[in-house]
Amino acid sequence: MRTLFFTIFLINIWTFSSAQDIGMLQSNEKPLVLRSIGSFYVGGEPVVESRVSLNGKSKIIPARDASSSSGHITKGQMYVQYSVPFELKGDFSLVLVHGMTLTGKTYETTPDGRMGWYEYFLRKGIASYIVDQTGFGRSGFDQRPYNDVKAGLEAPKSQPPFMRYTDEELFPAFRIGNTFDKSFPNMKFSLTSYRELSKQSVPFKPLSHADSVANYKNLGLLSSKLKNTIIFGHSQSGDFPVNAALLSTEGIKGAVIVEPSSPFSYSDEEIKKMSKMPMLVIFGDYLDTKSEGSNFTWEMSYNAWKILVERVNKVGGNAKMLHLPEIGIKGNSHMIMQDDNNLEIADIILKWIASL
């Protein structure tokens, strides 16, 4: 009987939620007037794309694809989408970074068709920049390791794996509910639009050290050009603003760290350096939820960041932990920027930025 119920539930949720189309999008009656809108890339370096092995072997190999030939390609670049309001109301810019298996879409229109943080911040008169992490989405990725395997130059096990969450895994991992057929009470994420969140997931390759450093450098380069930048990190990219600031704080005004994964282990010297960058760390509700197949809970990340914040403040920094249930805001998922109260949280963030 439970199997039948579960099947009917899946049919209902997928049928209803997959019906989203342009007619469901909710537009604001007030026009959004922009000074400019566009995209560009930061960072990147040329590398050899050759028919000859890159690992020291002299063997001549077939073209890596039907159209490739020896020469150079660019890797390590970061795609940036931007909009600048016609009437600026702040002397700072926002840079929004997505988490694992996601892209910059995270901050755009919500799965149920409402205004996302990107548009909301623009309507508040703030220049906003959305990135796709280096190695993913429109930033592209280095295809050579996979083609080397196809050409027989490397063993299949040398290929970096790609991963995606299943819909069933995401329910507890993103704290929408313990199981796929039941959301938490007072859940702020729209259950009926869950299928739209599933569509946002992209294949994700665990970052190599070089990938990670490229992301930090590119964010630092972007911030140094923009000046007075607030960098947002989310989930897997939660520590990106911190690690970018450790390379250089030039142009970085502060960091908003939303539902971050557990932080790295930082030395006292690194803590002292990051104390120069104000930071706001935000967590939602149901932190004790266990991810499927593991004992991991977001409460572990929360506790680790709480310790980090205490260390930063102890050396004169300006870091703040914000656990939403503690200020009476309950029911937020891991995807706070897409929850029903996303604009309420955006206002809290803007108030914090205004206090800097």
Side-chain angles (χ1 to χ4, degrees), residues 177-344:
N178 275 317
T179 60
F180 191 57
D181 59 341
K182 188 176 181 181
S183 63
F184 290 123
N186 304 313
M187 171 47 53
K188 293 290 194 296
F189 186 89
S190 173
L191 183 62
T192 55
S193 62
Y194 180 75
R195 188 65 172 160
E196 294 302 315
L197 175 60
S198 178
K199 294 175 185 179
Q200 293 180 20
S201 177
V202 298
F204 192 91
K205 173 177 61 67
L207 297 181
S208 65
H209 176 70
D211 291 332
S212 296
V213 171
N215 273 302
Y216 310 152
K217 286 183 175 179
N218 288 338
L219 287 172
L221 178 60
L222 178 59
S223 298
S224 67
K225 299 293 185 183
L226 295 176
K227 313 296 184 188
N228 290 332
T229 308
I230 304 289
I231 306 178
F232 282 57
H234 173 239
S235 194
Q236 163 262 347
S237 73
D239 56 10
F240 280 23
V242 169
N243 293 326
L246 288 178
L247 293 177
S248 173
T249 56
E250 182 184 359
I252 301 178
K253 179 182 177 72
V256 176
I257 300 171
V258 184
E259 288 272 331
S261 301
S262 296
F264 290 163
S265 178
Y266 295 106
S267 67
D268 289 342
E269 192 59 36
E270 288 173 322
I271 291 291
K272 192 176 296 184
K273 189 170 183 179
M274 72 176 69
S275 70
K276 298 176 183 178
M277 177 185 71
M279 65 177 76
L280 174 66
V281 184
I282 306 173
F283 278 90
D285 211 343
Y286 310 110
L287 296 181
D288 59 352
T289 305
K290 288 186 178 180
S291 293
E292 188 175 87
S294 79
N295 288 320
F296 172 78
T297 67
W298 286 98
E299 189 172 28
M300 297 174 183
S301 292
Y302 171 82
N303 290 333
W305 277 93
K306 190 173 182 179
I307 292 172
L308 187 147
V309 163
E310 290 170 354
R311 290 180 67 194
V312 168
N313 287 335
K314 195 171 291 185
V315 294
N318 177 10
K320 179 179 180 180
M321 284 293 292
L322 178 58
H323 186 203
L324 294 175
E326 292 181 1
I327 61 171
I329 301 176
K330 300 182 179 181
N332 280 103
S333 72
H334 184 57
M335 302 299 291
I336 291 175
M337 69 291 295
Q338 297 182 356
D339 287 340
D340 291 344
N341 63 341
N342 64 333
L343 303 188
E344 177 186 6

Side-chain angles (χ1 to χ4, degrees), residues 101-143:
T101 77
L102 299 168
T103 67
K105 167 62 178 168
T106 292
Y107 297 99
E108 298 178 17
T109 308
T110 65
D112 57 343
R114 292 175 296 105
M115 188 189 304
W117 280 2
Y118 181 49
E119 180 183 347
Y120 187 68
F121 291 139
L122 291 171
R123 289 186 176 277
K124 290 293 184 178
I126 304 164
S128 299
Y129 299 73
I130 292 180
V131 309
D132 280 0
Q133 285 188 35
T134 299
F136 302 96
R138 287 177 284 185
S139 293
F141 71 95
D142 185 359
Q143 82 288 348

Side-chain angles (χ1 to χ4, degrees), residues 60-104:
I60 304 298
I61 64 174
R64 284 193 162 99
D65 58 55
S67 62
S68 73
S69 59
S70 296
H72 292 82
I73 60 172
T74 303
K75 74 165 190 174
Q77 65 273 17
M78 175 179 280
Y79 174 84
V80 185
Q81 170 187 328
Y82 74 93
S83 294
V84 179
F86 183 78
E87 186 179 347
L88 287 169
K89 296 180 181 177
D91 62 350
F92 59 92
S93 299
L94 304 180
V95 173
L96 311 172
V97 189
H98 63 86
M100 187 167 69
T101 77
L102 299 168
T103 67

